[in-house]
Amino acid sequence: MGRSVGTASRPGVTDRLTEGLARAALPLGALATAAVLLVVFYYPVGTVLIEALVTDGRLDAAPVRDVLSSPFYFGAATGLVTDPLGVPAGIRDWARAGFPAVGFGLVGFTVYQAVLSTVASLLLGLPGAYLIAKFEFPGRETLRALTMLPFVLPSIMVAIGFVAMFGDRGTFNALLSALGLPTISLIYTLPLIIIAHAFYNAPLVTRLVAAAWENVDARMVESARSLGASPGRAFVDVVVPQLLPAALTGALLTFLFTFMSFPIVLALGGLELATVEVWLYARVQHLDLAQAAGLAVVETVITLGITYAYVRYESGGTGLARLGTGIDREPLLATLRDPRRIGLLAYGLVVLVVFVGPIASMIIESLTGPSGLTLRYYSFLVQRQIEGASFQVKPVAAVTNSVVFAVGTLALAMPMGVLIAILSTREFVGSRLTEAVLMAPLAVSGIVVGLGLLQGLVFGTDVFGHRLTATGPIAIVAAHAVAAYPFVTRNVVPMLRSVDERLLESARSLGASRFRVLVDVELPLVLPGLLAGAAFAFAISIGEFDSTVILAEGSASYTMPVAVERYLGNRTLGPATAMGTVLLAVTALSFLVIDRMGGRYEP
């Protein structure tokens, strides 16, 4: 009798323990994630804040005030800080002088180029959304999948592609010469930076607006037409209001991304066209860390403000997922006498030049020398690997470091991203605030995170009398994980939200434990999102440049993007394009995994 009771009680205890662990897993995981974020993100960023706000133990914000009051950074707007009461008189004097041109400094230029880049991205992205939403054609789904590319393409590789395409001796000028037209010098010009930003962000606009366009309620359009509205009037009064939220969301995100753009501006504009991010990097390179901290704080306040506007706008019901009967798509190739189709054909040519041209030019440049086709640049990489000195950049070390760091990033970013995704789908007091705080890395630039890690963990910090330091590779993996886990979260959240709660309840009612339901029911349903998130995290780590270029030291920690930049820094475009092509191959493999796994990334 006693034996039978003991046998019956053991499974009960085991079940209770399993159930207890399952209940405790989420809060414990959240605490662990918060602890990791505290060490690898909030503490480093906090270190930058303290550097900017505290001097000799006193709160005086001198570096921030120096930035805000510097005409170099804010131009004419410095009067708002140095003499706010004199602003009305200054405006009056300016009007009396006939409104002469005024400068707005480095920050003003950064805003200016971001506005132009946003407009260019909208102009280039909206026709793509129209094409995908309104027409049926072979390769349409592939084209839609390619709109995810900007999230995984390393920006330094894109910059190399633009140099190969639009450089003085690039493919574009070679084509102009072949046609008997004068060549154009675009390197180190603002238009080239804007085009490169459009390359990155127009697909984002296309993706967002196409999704909204496909969900436009066709019945509303038909009702407007039946009431006598012309096709143009029905479009303006019915369709445009339903697309506007998605377009504005794309514009806000594009402005944010181009405001924080770094490798593209660095490679295509240099210090002559420096933005806040590039100048911040230059201050770090010159070890002017106090001014860098002040500038980083100003930049972070601006980007957090933009992110807050985006989050408020998105949470206010932007209509990104409107549901309607949908519109019927027309065959694209039905006729070529339609002005719309002729316009789309011209748009396709622009796409070939702006999107395909740079990547193809990089590959062609890596295989072409003064005498024609050659493998000399790849041979250079092999020779550098065999004979290069220890201080020189070697390709195998770059590839190895990139892959090792990416694996480390996966190990750190995946659990963090998944736990935050679970928290994002739960409703509790302060849930939205918690989500915003946990997703803050999206709004803080990689340069700021890299600077914080440099000042905090790399230089070392005292904890209870012990000096703690983190070497380059550890700091780099931490920085990559901070950049990658929000993408894991954004892939997993839609999958979690699509899980039918009734399935889970049915399994529980049949006696399955919480852990069993997780393993047998919930995990298989969200597995595609997990795999896509892992591929995103891997690709982002492989292509990360902003913080890596600050933290990489010696041969132990430089990665493929840093190697590309250093080869380009030597003004040897050939090896840089060869290294960029290797980087492209690795990135393309990651993209294939994301595509096959049906990536559900939500910007």
Side-chain angles (χ1 to χ4, degrees):
M1 181 71 178
R3 184 175 180 178
S4 64
V5 169
T7 304
S9 64
R10 278 196 294 272
V13 171
T14 304
D15 285 346
R16 284 198 296 274
L17 281 175
T18 304
E19 192 73 10
L21 286 174
R23 286 181 183 278
L26 182 59
L28 289 176
L31 284 176
T33 300
V36 173
L37 277 177
L38 182 67
V39 174
V40 303
F41 177 70
Y42 292 108
Y43 173 71
V45 174
T47 302
V48 176
L49 286 174
I50 292 173
E51 177 76 22
L53 299 176
V54 179
T55 305
D56 297 330
R58 291 183 299 108
L59 182 66
D60 65 357
V64 177
R65 283 189 284 106
D66 289 344
V67 170
L68 293 175
S69 60
S70 167
F72 174 77
Y73 288 118
F74 280 92
T78 54
L80 295 170
V81 176
T82 57
D83 185 19
L85 297 178
V87 170
I91 294 176
R92 186 174 60 246
D93 294 341
W94 175 60
R96 285 175 178 170
F99 303 103
V102 294
F104 288 97
L106 183 73
V107 175
F109 174 75
T110 305
V111 172
Y112 174 64
Q113 65 82 27
V115 169
L116 293 179
S117 299
T118 301
V119 172
S121 300
L122 288 170
L123 291 175
L124 200 56
L126 290 177
Y130 174 69
L131 175 67
I132 290 176
K134 292 281 290 181
F135 294 94
E136 193 63 60
F137 54 91
R140 177 177 166 278
E141 287 304 319
T142 302
L143 185 62
R144 177 193 288 278
L146 288 175
T147 59
M148 279 197 304
L149 266 181
F151 298 109
V152 297
L153 277 182
S155 49
I156 188 65
M157 188 194 76
V158 174
I160 293 294
F162 269 77
V163 172
M165 177 73 181
F166 295 104
D168 292 343
R169 290 181 290 181
T171 308
F172 187 68
N173 276 328
L175 184 61
L176 291 178
S177 297
L179 296 174
L181 298 173
T183 59
I184 302 172
S185 180
L186 286 172
I187 292 295
Y188 298 113
T189 65
L190 183 57
L192 188 59
I193 293 174
I194 292 170
I195 295 171
H197 282 164
F199 171 97
Y200 248 100
N201 296 286
L204 170 68
V205 174
T206 298
R207 188 174 184 83
L208 287 170
V209 178
W213 211 325
E214 288 172 333
N215 287 322
V216 167
D217 193 340
R219 293 170 302 183
M220 295 176 66
V221 179
E222 292 166 2
S223 297
R225 294 296 309 278
S226 66
L227 292 173
S230 66
R233 189 75 186 178
F235 177 76
V236 171
D237 291 347
V238 179
V239 178
V240 170
Q242 297 188 55
L243 302 185
L244 202 54
L248 288 177
T249 301
L252 272 174
L253 285 174
T254 299
F255 183 87
L256 178 65
F257 293 157
T258 53
F259 187 89
M260 294 194 297
S261 173
F262 172 55
I264 286 176
V265 180
L266 180 68
L268 303 180
L271 291 180
E272 292 83 358
L273 294 171
T275 58
V276 170
E277 195 82 341
V278 172
W279 195 254
L280 176 57
Y281 171 69
R283 292 303 88 203
V284 175
Q285 291 293 92
H286 288 84
L287 297 180
D288 189 357
L289 300 184
Q291 188 176 140
L295 187 58
V297 168
V298 172
E299 185 199 32
T300 302
V301 169
I302 295 173
T303 54
L304 284 176
I306 300 168
T307 305
Y308 178 74
Y310 161 66
V311 171
R312 284 293 302 268
Y313 188 70
E314 186 188 40
S315 62
T318 60
L320 287 178
R322 293 177 189 276
L323 295 176
T325 56
I327 53 179
D328 294 328
R329 280 189 285 272
E330 309 170 33
L332 178 64
L333 306 177
T335 176
L336 289 179
R337 295 181 180 178
D338 181 1
R340 296 178 304 161
R341 290 175 169 81
I342 294 174
L344 288 174
L345 180 62
Y347 172 72
L349 295 176
V350 174
V351 167
L352 279 177
V353 173
V354 175
F355 291 95
V356 181
I359 301 301
S361 296
M362 181 185 71
I363 298 172
I364 293 171
E365 179 69 28
S366 73
L367 294 169
T368 308
S371 306
L373 288 175
T374 179
L375 292 175
R376 58 184 291 191
Y377 302 126
Y378 293 94
S379 299
F380 170 85
L381 295 182
V382 174
Q383 187 177 7
R384 172 61 65 88
Q385 179 61 39
I386 297 172
E387 301 175 0
S390 59
F391 61 87
Q392 291 180 312
V393 176
K394 296 182 179 180
V396 172
V399 174
T400 304
N401 288 339
S402 291
V403 173
V404 170
F405 295 163
V407 172
T409 299
L410 278 179
L412 196 55
M414 285 302 292
M416 291 168 60
V418 171
L419 278 164
I420 293 172
I422 295 172
L423 288 175
S424 299
T425 57
R426 304 289 173 87
E427 290 294 335
F428 54 88
V429 176
S431 59
R432 296 283 75 83
L433 177 62
T434 303
E435 182 182 357
V437 170
L438 292 175
M439 297 303 286
L442 280 176
V444 179
S445 81
I447 292 289
V448 175
V449 175
L451 174 61
L453 286 168
L454 190 69
Q455 289 183 299
L457 297 181
V458 176
F459 290 169
T461 185
D462 291 324
V463 178
F464 302 117
H466 298 281
R467 189 74 174 169
L468 297 181
T469 60
T471 60
I474 295 175
I476 289 172
V477 169
H480 287 192
V482 166
Y485 84 79
F487 290 84
V488 176
T489 299
R490 289 293 194 177
N491 272 282
V492 175
V493 163
M495 306 298 291
L496 284 174
R497 286 180 175 153
S498 67
V499 172
D500 191 341
E501 287 291 332
R502 292 171 298 184
L503 284 175
L504 308 183
E505 291 169 4
S506 298
R508 295 298 306 275
S509 66
L510 292 173
S513 65
R514 200 177 279 267
F515 179 75
R516 205 69 197 170
V517 171
L518 172 68
V519 172
D520 291 347
V521 182
E522 201 163 8
L523 192 58
L525 292 173
V526 301
L527 189 59
L530 290 173
L531 293 175
F536 261 109
F538 189 87
I540 287 168
S541 175
I542 289 288
E544 211 286 335
F545 178 76
D546 296 18
S547 57
T548 312
V549 73
I550 290 180
L551 299 170
E553 55 184 14
S555 60
S557 53
Y558 60 77
T559 59
M560 284 191 282
V562 174
V564 170
E565 191 268 342
R566 290 182 182 175
Y567 284 136
L568 183 66
N570 293 330
R571 299 195 177 280
T572 49
L573 186 58
T577 57
M579 194 72 218
T581 303
V582 174
L583 182 56
L584 174 65
V586 177
T587 306
L589 184 62
S590 301
F591 171 75
L592 284 176
V593 173
I594 294 170
D595 187 43
R596 290 299 177 94
M597 292 299 113
R600 300 288 198 277
Y601 178 74
E602 288 184 350

